[in-house]
Amino acid sequence: MSVPSNSDQPGSPGAKQQMQLDHSLRLQIWETPLLRHGSSVLEAFAWEEVMCRRVGEGQLPVAHIWRHPDAFVAGLRDRRLPQAVEAMERIRSQGTAVCVRPSGGAAVPLNPGVVNVSLILPNPGRAINIHDDFREMASLIAESLTPWSSQARTGEIEGAFCPGDYDVSVGGLKFCGIAQRRQAKAYIITAFIIVEGQGDQLAADVRKFYQDAADGASEGYPDVRPGTMASLQELAGVPSAAAYTASLVRTLRQRFPLAQTSRVLSVDREAVRRTAEQMKLRYD
């Protein structure tokens, strides 16, 4: 299967014809309120891990939208760098929440201007096509941008942080990255979307982390360069994370006509705490 190039427009009819995700799913859309300063960022991933198990057991699929006020999320590969633990501890000492996430991808800083969205979907036959689902997520994100811009493209942006074949960009500047996490009977497609602020400053923060964590090593981490990242505020005049989130919810409801927003999604607090502890032991 070919990988989309920077000329691909994820919202185009040709791209939609390739989508395999079942749009008749009775998706539940759940927006977590902005997390508190000092709150654990790992618990957001633990909540999704627990919810993913529930979806695998037959609960309705979920679109989860959330934000954290100040966090730094490292990838599994980042954790293997010689001074990764020390670099993460220095960030933590400045009052920033830090964790290693279980999904793919590399380091990403979070703040109130970064919107995270995850599709938590069943996989009973273990026959998912991850490329189709990555394209589906890229299409959702691009379509949600159309009130302000129709210029979103998909394809890796060299020099951006958390690089991947399904980076979403405008004018060659990345604002979104996509990753995935699989369980036995369900899986998660997750994305970060930089809506507010200065993308170049976030890139500088990630570049500093790699400089500290690599301890002189010349490989094993992304080469994050200036002039590769930007926010949707900078690229398209999107006024706020709230405005983009509202457009994202509208797009989800259009794409999944049976989507629900009225149910209150809750999972056992103790299950989330235990899962967070297990994830910390395993990944941190």
Side-chain angles (χ1 to χ4, degrees), residues 28-30 47 51 59-63 263-267:
Q28 299 175 92
I29 302 172
W30 179 244
W47 186 94
M51 187 59 70
Q59 184 164 308
L60 294 180
V62 176
R263 291 187 58 181
V264 176
L265 292 183
S266 62
V267 298

Side-chain angles (χ1 to χ4, degrees), residues 59-71:
Q59 184 164 308
L60 294 180
V62 176
H64 181 215
I65 302 169
W66 62 279
R67 292 180 294 146
H68 194 286
D70 184 16

Side-chain angles (χ1 to χ4, degrees), residues 56-226:
E57 294 165 356
Q59 184 164 308
L60 294 180
V62 176
H64 181 215
I65 302 169
W66 62 279
R67 292 180 294 146
H68 194 286
D70 184 16
F72 190 90
V73 180
L76 294 172
R77 190 177 180 187
D78 301 331
R79 175 63 178 77
R80 303 189 189 106
L81 291 170
Q83 293 293 313
V85 173
E86 291 79 2
M88 288 190 293
E89 189 53 43
R90 279 193 287 274
I91 295 172
R92 188 177 286 115
S93 70
Q94 298 166 5
T96 299
V98 178
C99 79
V100 179
R101 70 169 180 268
S103 61
V108 175
L110 302 179
N111 61 41
V114 178
V115 174
N116 302 280
V117 58
S118 297
L119 297 178
I120 306 174
L121 303 166
N123 183 34
R126 301 189 182 186
I128 62 172
N129 186 319
I130 208 69
H131 294 284
D132 288 336
D133 289 342
F134 272 44
R135 276 191 286 266
E136 174 81 7
M137 178 66 91
S139 176
L140 284 167
I141 290 162
E143 190 172 333
S144 302
L145 182 59
T146 54
W148 302 278
S149 172
S150 60
Q151 300 303 308
R153 299 291 183 269
T154 304
E156 182 173 352
I157 301 299
E158 292 187 8
F161 62 72
C162 197
D165 293 334
Y166 295 88
D167 292 345
V168 189
S169 60
V170 170
L173 297 177
K174 175 176 175 175
F175 67 88
C176 168
I178 302 173
Q180 58 98 8
R181 163 75 170 161
R182 301 189 198 191
Q183 291 184 4
K185 296 181 180 180
Y187 64 108
I188 306 170
I189 302 292
T190 187
F192 70 86
I193 306 155
I194 305 171
V195 181
E196 300 178 30
Q198 297 182 327
D200 229 17
Q201 181 56 58
L202 295 180
D205 294 342
V206 176
R207 188 162 58 250
K208 177 65 166 61
F209 163 74
Y210 283 129
Q211 289 171 348
D212 293 345
D215 193 32
S218 59
E219 56 184 31
Y221 57 95
D223 176 22
V224 181
R225 300 193 295 270

